[in-house]
């Protein structure tokens, strides 16, 4: 069941949700570098800035393409409130992602919790 859920969710996100939400000027975006193409890859997501860090939870952990890109190159950019910030992403497998979701925006957290099968906390240390 979880593999089917992963395929259905990622197909919906890739072909419908992400292309539409990327166009919204204040949608939070994570920009990674494609590990094969070397091209910028922008993923709409939810999370929260706390001080000089941006926190998020990936619903599919290391199966997510943007997480695999982070593993290859942790230098990222995050668009928060319409402004881009450079940073370095850190995968935190020892963090409690369910507890972390309770500190993040409710709407996105509910979707991640409902659809996710391999929750993984990610912290981006912002340079600026």
């Amino acid at each position: 069941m979880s593999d089917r859920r992963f395929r259905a969710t990622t197909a919906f996100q890739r072909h419908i949700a992400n292309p539409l939400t990327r166009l919204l000027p204040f949608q939070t975006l994570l920009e990674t570098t494609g590990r094969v193409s070397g091209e910028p890859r922008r993923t709409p997501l939810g999370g929260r800035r706390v001080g000089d860090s941006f926190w998020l939870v990936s619903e599919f952990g290391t199966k997510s393409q943007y997480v695999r890109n982070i593993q290859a190159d942790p230098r990222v950019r995050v668009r928060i409130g319409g402004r881009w910030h450079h940073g370095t992403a850190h995968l935190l497998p020892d963090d409690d992602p369910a507890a972390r979701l309770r500190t993040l925006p409710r709407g996105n957290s509910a979707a991640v919790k409902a659809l996710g099968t391999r929750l993984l906390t990610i912290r981006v240390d912002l340079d600026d």
Side-chain angles (χ1 to χ4, degrees):
M1 174 63 179
S2 66
D3 203 38
R4 201 172 7 178
R5 184 183 329 172
F6 170 75
R7 286 193 311 272
T9 301
T10 55
F12 173 77
Q13 289 172 335
R14 181 176 298 127
H15 300 293
I16 298 170
N18 290 358
L20 292 174
T21 56
R22 266 189 217 107
L23 300 174
L24 300 173
F26 286 97
Q27 170 65 47
T28 301
L29 296 176
L30 175 69
E31 183 181 85
T32 60
T33 301
R35 64 193 176 283
V36 175
S37 70
E39 297 293 321
R41 300 294 181 210
R42 292 182 175 175
T43 304
L45 45 75
R48 173 166 283 143
R49 183 176 184 162
V50 179
D52 291 333
S53 297
F54 181 81
W55 292 85
L56 66 131
V57 174
S58 169
E59 65 263 56
F60 299 114
T62 56
K63 287 185 77 174
S64 295
Q65 297 299 317
Y66 71 89
V67 174
R68 294 173 71 192
N69 289 342
I70 288 169
Q71 288 175 310
D73 182 356
R75 294 170 300 160
V76 300
R77 291 193 321 152
V78 183
R79 187 176 78 179
I80 306 166
R83 182 169 174 255
W84 285 101
H85 304 270
H86 293 269
T88 304
H90 303 276
L91 308 181
L92 303 174
D94 294 331
D95 190 68
D96 181 350
R100 182 69 54 194
L101 282 172
R102 289 192 290 275
T103 71
L104 302 178
R106 279 190 235 174
N108 183 76
S109 293
V112 168
K113 192 172 182 180
L115 298 172
T117 57
R118 296 180 180 188
L119 302 182
L120 175 65
T121 301
I122 301 169
R123 184 188 75 235
V124 177
D125 293 333
L126 304 172
D127 298 335
D128 52 351

